[in-house]
Amino acid sequence: MPHKKDWYPNSRDEQVHLVETWLKVFLTKALAWGIPPVNVTSLTDTLAAAKDILAVVKSGERTAASVVGCNEAFKEMEAEARFIKKRYLLIPPLTPADLADILLSQPDNTHTPVPPPTGQPSVSITYPGGPHLLKVHLTFLAGTAPLDSRSDSGYAIYKGVMPQGGATLEQAASVKHYLMKPPLDGEELLYYKFTRRRTEVVSFTAEESGMTAYFCSRYENGKGDAGGWGPIVSAVIP
């Protein structure tokens, strides 16, 4: 279930429109905002791939394989967009007018009685049996602060993948942002998704078989406020 307060659009057409708008603005603002050219290029390439496969899915050439490919392409585009927003689309250097230009709202500073999350989640991983699949299990981490149903409303899952021996500089700068070393906390991982489910099956590419996947999670409330990081767990991708 998508996070109801999340800034990233739900529909694919809206997602394409958002990223297209970003790239138009980045032509003149990326340097001033400190966005590296490699990230702009990666987002451009990812958008092109997503649009191409979406056109196939919408056409009479739609197949089961194209639907799977479309899902993966849009997941990659979302991961790239979230990576850029988290690290570069901040106030400052951006202004409220800049945020409006890239279709983002200003931070919500309105007082609310909903407290930030207090609990911490625990993550475990099993193998569901399919090729290149891992199953993520989410639950309350014993010994942490009690849950508050108003604030601990769902799980934000973060994910990273590390090739054997660590990623090269080229792999780390790619759209997948492969890890060069094992992460120490969730800040080093990419946002994967928000969910209220206790389990999620995560798929990987055939090329990632044998690599190590890392997961971490934290609770989020209805305003998108996040709690503390739970422990990082890892598993080898089958």
Side-chain angles (χ1 to χ4, degrees):
M1 180 182 295
H3 197 315
K4 64 181 179 181
K5 292 291 186 180
D6 197 13
W7 59 269
Y8 198 73
N10 290 329
S11 80
R12 286 175 174 170
D13 288 335
E14 290 176 342
Q15 291 167 9
V16 167
H17 175 62
L18 174 73
V19 174
E20 286 179 335
T21 301
W22 281 19
L23 291 173
K24 289 177 183 177
V25 176
F26 289 173
L27 289 175
T28 57
K29 295 294 185 72
L31 182 61
W33 293 347
I35 306 174
V38 65
N39 292 109
V40 178
T41 299
S42 292
L43 185 61
T44 301
D45 293 344
T46 306
L47 171 65
K51 290 174 65 176
D52 287 346
I53 192 67
L54 180 61
V56 173
V57 168
K58 288 183 174 182
S59 73
E61 300 178 10
R62 175 189 178 108
T63 63
S66 68
V67 171
V68 172
C70 190
N71 291 339
E72 291 301 317
F74 274 83
K75 281 183 181 178
E76 289 186 13
M77 187 172 75
E78 179 178 357
E80 183 72 17
R82 289 187 182 278
F83 179 85
I84 290 175
K85 181 181 183 296
K86 180 178 180 180
R87 287 160 176 77
Y88 305 112
L89 304 184
L90 308 172
I91 294 181
L94 277 69
T95 66
D98 291 329
L99 288 181
D101 287 341
I102 55 177
L103 308 180
L104 296 178
S105 60
Q106 296 184 46
D108 183 4
N109 296 318
T110 304
H111 174 71
T112 174
V114 178
T118 54
Q120 290 175 268
S122 173
V123 181
S124 60
I125 303 173
T126 59
Y127 293 90
H132 324 309
L133 297 178
L134 293 175
K135 191 170 188 178
V136 175
H137 303 262
L138 301 154
T139 189
F140 175 68
L141 180 62
T144 59
L147 292 181
D148 183 328
S149 60
R150 297 172 301 160
S151 60
D152 304 301
S153 61
Y155 303 93
I157 303 174
Y158 291 74
K159 173 175 72 76
V161 176
M162 188 180 76
Q164 295 182 17
T168 63
L169 288 174
E170 182 178 5
Q171 288 175 316
S174 72
V175 65
K176 294 293 187 70
H177 298 291
Y178 288 120
L179 297 167
M180 300 180 72
K181 59 182 178 61
L184 298 178
D185 59 41
E187 292 289 348
E188 299 181 51
L189 304 178
L190 294 177
Y191 178 92
Y192 176 64
K193 72 182 299 183
F194 174 87
T195 183
R196 290 185 174 88
R197 294 163 53 90
R198 293 293 184 91
T199 60
E200 292 287 343
V201 175
V202 183
S203 63
F204 299 85
T205 65
E207 292 76 14
E208 291 170 331
S209 178
M211 296 185 184
T212 301
Y214 293 87
F215 292 92
C216 191
S217 181
R218 55 186 178 179
Y219 286 109
E220 283 190 5
N221 64 17
K223 288 176 58 63
D225 299 323
W229 293 105
I232 289 180
V233 297
S234 65
V236 176
I237 300 168

